[in-house]
Amino acid sequence: MLKKRIIPCLDVDNGRVVKGVNFIDLVDAGDPVEQAIIYNAEGADELCFLDITASSDNRDTLLEVVKKTAENCFIPLTVGGGVRNLDDISRLLHFGADKVSINTAAVDNINLVAEAANKYGSSTIVIAVDAKETAENQWKVFTHGGRKETNIDVVTYCNEVAKLGAGEILLTSMDRDGTKSGFDNKLLKAVTSKVNVPVIASGGVGNLSHLLDGILEGEASALLAASIFHFGEYSISEVKRYLADNNIPVRI
Amino acid sequence: MNLAIINFGSGNLHSVHKAFESVSSDLSNPYNIIVTNDPKEIQSADKIVLPGVGAFGDCKNAILNIEGLHASLEVSVVKNKVPFMGICVGMQLLADLSYEFGTHSGFGWIPGEVRRITSPKEYKIPHMGWNEITFSDHKLFDNCEQGSDFYFVHSFYFQNQKSEHSIATTKYPDQITAAVCKENICGTQFHPEKSHKNGKKIIHNFLEWKP
C-alpha cells in the first residue's frame, strides 16, 4: 500500500536555517545540511527546503546547501522559493534537487507549468499554492509570500496546474500557517476531492492529532511540517508511530 | 572497473551519481564512476546505468540525438552483455513501445509495452511515494525483506509480455511491475537512489551482480 509521506520543511535564508532548533546532537544549529541529515536518519520520507533569501544575489548559497544535502541524504529533496523560470529549475536539479516547487511564477505565467513539466517531467514539478479563505468555503490564491491577493479560486487553479502537468500540489493555508491550530481540512478536502494529483498539506500543525486529521479529514497524500520538528516537539519517528497506531500506512 | 552513468540530459543525474558513488565507496574494490554520453567511454564500461525522468518520447529522442549513443548501448548491452540497469523511465525504455503522449518505440530489449496506470479516482496519479514490493529470487534483492518500501514516482508502467521478466511488483491498487530482468539487463520502476537504505541495498547488489 502507498504510504502517507511525512515531509519536514526547512526555511533557509542565506544558506542558514531561519527558525531556531534544539537538536542536542547538532554541531551547528543553523546548518540546513546537518538538520537534513538528522531528519533523513529519523525516517523522513522526503525533505523540503524553502529558500526565503530576499536578495537574488545571495541565492547561490542555497545551491551549495542543496548539493551537500543530495550527497548525504538519499531520499527525495524538494526545493522552492524564488523559482522564476526554467533556468532556475535547471540549476536546482543540476545541484541535486529532485523536485522544484514553483509558486508566484506559476500564477504570473501559467504556461511555465506546462513548459517545466514537459522539459523535466511531471514528477519533478511541484506547484506551491498559498490559499486564504476569503468567504465561507471559498479560497483565493495569494502570491509573493502571501502578500498579494489574486482573484483566482484555489480549487480551479489546482485543477488547471494538474492538467498542465504539475506532479503534485503543496497546499498551504495562510489562515492556519504558524497558528498551530491544525490544517485547514475543509480547504484540503475541497482540493483533494477535485484534483487528481497528490496534495501535500501544509500550514497549522501543532500536535499529533492535527497530522491524523490532515489525512482522515483533508485526505492529503503527504504532510508537511516545520516548527513541530524544528523545535524538537516531536520526532519524525514519533509522528510515524502515532500514525501507524491509528491505522495510517506509513513507512517505519 | 568502470561504471558508466548515461548522461542524456535527464534531470536527476546528480542524485543517481551520488548514490552510486556512496555505495561503491564502501566496496573493497570501488568502481570508477563516470557520468558520460561518450560512446567510447560507454563501450569500455563494465557496468552501465541509465537513469531517466520525464516523458518517454523526450528521453528516447534525447538519446537518439547524441551521436553514437544508442549504437554504443546496443553493442555493450545486447552484443557484449555488459550488466545494465535502467531506472524509472530508463527502465521503461527497455520495452518495445510506449503510449505516453503518442506512440513511441523503445529499445525492445525486454518485450512489453508502457501504458498509463488506470486506477480508481481515489488513487492519485502520479503514483508517488513509498510503496512496498514483492520480489522473486534474484541477486538484485539480496538482503532485502519482502514488503520493503521503495520510492516510486510515475504515471506509466511497464507491462511485461513475459511474466518471467518481471522480478518485482507493487500494488496501486492493481499489480504493477516494480523491477524487470532479462539476462544481463535489469531495471527498476522505483528510484533506488531515493529509496534510502533499501535503495542502497539494490545499488550494492547491482554493483556485485555477475549475470
Side-chain angles (χ1 to χ4, degrees):
Chain A
M1 190 183 277
L2 188 66
K3 308 300 187 293
K4 298 293 182 183
R5 291 170 279 150
I6 305 299
I7 309 174
C9 179
L10 295 163
D11 288 352
V12 181
D13 185 6
N14 280 319
R16 308 282 295 168
V17 177
V18 178
K19 289 171 182 160
V21 288
N22 61 1
F23 286 123
I24 42 169
D25 38 0
L26 276 188
V27 179
D28 173 358
D31 181 1
V33 180
E34 276 200 61
Q35 285 186 50
I37 290 171
I38 289 190
Y39 287 147
N40 176 53
E42 276 186 348
D45 294 309
E46 296 188 19
L47 294 166
C48 180
F49 286 148
L50 182 62
D51 188 18
I52 58 165
T53 307
S55 157
S56 54
D57 298 344
N58 297 330
R59 286 257 158 78
D60 286 354
T61 52
L62 181 81
L63 296 176
E64 235 0 79
V65 169
V66 170
K67 183 164 173 266
K68 283 191 192 140
T69 305
E71 282 165 9
N72 288 288
C73 300
F74 300 106
I75 54 173
L77 170 64
T78 300
V79 184
V83 175
R84 302 295 311 167
N85 49 45
L86 294 180
D87 284 346
D88 292 341
I89 299 170
S90 190
R91 206 171 302 121
L92 287 168
L93 294 175
H94 178 76
F95 276 83
D98 297 291
K99 308 185 211 182
V100 173
S101 103
I102 314 172
N103 192 327
T104 302
V107 178
D108 288 349
N109 170 22
I110 195 102
N111 293 327
L112 179 64
V113 181
E115 285 166 20
N118 286 339
K119 183 152 188 203
Y120 304 106
S122 289
S123 59
T124 307
I125 304 304
V126 181
I127 298 301
V129 181
D130 290 338
K132 194 170 175 150
E133 194 167 17
T134 50
E136 204 183 344
N137 292 330
Q138 232 179 51
W139 296 268
K140 289 275 157 65
V141 175
F142 279 63
T143 60
H144 299 84
R147 294 188 301 275
K148 209 167 142 189
E149 182 173 353
T150 72
N151 202 27
I152 304 167
D153 176 69
V154 167
V155 178
T156 311
Y157 178 70
C158 290
N159 252 320
E160 198 174 348
V161 295
K163 283 199 184 93
L164 290 171
E168 63 184 337
I169 289 164
L170 168 55
L171 183 58
T172 303
S173 160
M174 291 176 47
D175 301 303
R176 299 300 178 92
D177 204 24
T179 64
K180 293 190 167 250
S181 58
F183 293 118
D184 183 345
N185 292 312
K186 280 200 310 189
L187 162 69
L188 279 170
K189 184 67 198 265
V191 175
T192 55
S193 63
K194 291 272 165 54
V195 179
N196 192 34
V197 298
V199 173
I200 306 168
S202 156
V205 178
N207 61 42
L208 292 174
S209 68
H210 291 156
L211 293 161
L212 185 63
D213 293 343
I215 293 169
L216 296 179
E217 292 172 29
E219 297 181 12
S221 296
L223 307 169
L224 183 123
S227 57
I228 61 159
F229 296 130
H230 295 328
F231 298 110
E233 289 163 43
Y234 301 102
S235 68
I236 307 254
S237 44
E238 229 174 319
V239 164
K240 290 196 163 184
R241 271 197 308 275
Y242 170 81
L243 292 175
D245 288 345
N246 284 280
N247 302 315
I248 302 295
V250 285
R251 181 178 71 105
I252 301 275
Chain B
M1 299 269 276
N2 291 322
L3 182 139
I5 298 173
I6 309 297
N7 176 10
F8 63 90
S10 179
N12 63 338
L13 267 184
H14 185 85
S15 297
V16 175
H17 185 197
K18 290 299 153 194
F20 274 78
E21 216 167 59
S22 163
V23 176
S24 173
S25 68
D26 291 335
L27 298 176
S28 46
N29 286 313
Y31 280 79
N32 172 36
I33 298 176
I34 43 175
V35 177
T36 180
N37 59 17
D38 177 359
K40 274 196 197 124
E41 285 191 317
I42 291 164
Q43 286 197 33
S44 66
D46 303 288
K47 284 199 174 161
I48 297 173
V49 176
L50 181 68
V53 293
F56 186 102
D58 291 347
C59 289
K60 178 79 193 299
N61 287 333
I63 290 169
L64 293 181
N65 285 337
I66 297 168
E67 206 182 324
L69 176 55
H70 186 242
S72 67
L73 286 172
E74 288 278 342
V75 170
S76 289
V77 181
V78 180
K79 187 163 160 269
N80 298 336
K81 308 270 179 211
V82 171
F84 170 97
M85 182 186 227
I87 298 172
C88 197
V89 180
M91 174 265 236
Q92 296 183 349
L93 283 165
L94 305 174
D96 298 311
L97 269 184
S98 167
Y99 296 102
E100 185 176 5
F101 301 123
T103 307
H104 308 273
S105 61
F107 296 162
W109 294 349
I110 296 185
E113 294 179 347
V114 177
R115 295 176 175 279
R116 190 170 175 84
I117 298 171
T118 49
S119 55
K121 197 179 154 285
E122 63 269 30
Y123 287 80
K124 306 291 184 192
I125 302 290
H127 170 220
M128 183 184 287
W130 298 80
N131 207 340
E132 61 227 41
I133 65 161
T134 306
F135 52 83
S136 51
D137 184 25
H138 191 282
K139 170 72 188 171
L140 214 52
F141 298 105
D142 268 8
N143 298 315
C144 291
E145 276 175 46
Q146 290 288 359
S148 353
D149 290 313
F150 289 86
Y151 189 82
F152 289 83
V153 49
H154 62 125
S155 306
F156 286 73
Y157 72 104
F158 192 158
Q159 191 175 51
N160 294 104
Q161 201 182 89
K162 295 184 177 166
S163 59
E164 72 253 35
H165 294 150
S166 167
I167 58 167
T169 58
T170 187
K171 282 187 171 171
Y172 194 66
D174 294 336
Q175 194 164 290
I176 287 173
T177 297
V180 296
C181 186
K182 185 188 164 197
E183 300 172 19
N184 59 311
I185 303 167
C186 72
T188 61
Q189 179 62 66
F190 54 80
H191 289 269
E193 78 281 9
K194 289 287 125 193
S195 295
H196 204 226
K197 288 177 188 159
N198 291 336
K200 283 184 153 189
K201 285 182 194 169
I202 305 288
I203 293 171
H204 176 89
N205 293 336
F206 175 70
L207 295 178
E208 303 261 280
W209 189 35
K210 295 185 183 75

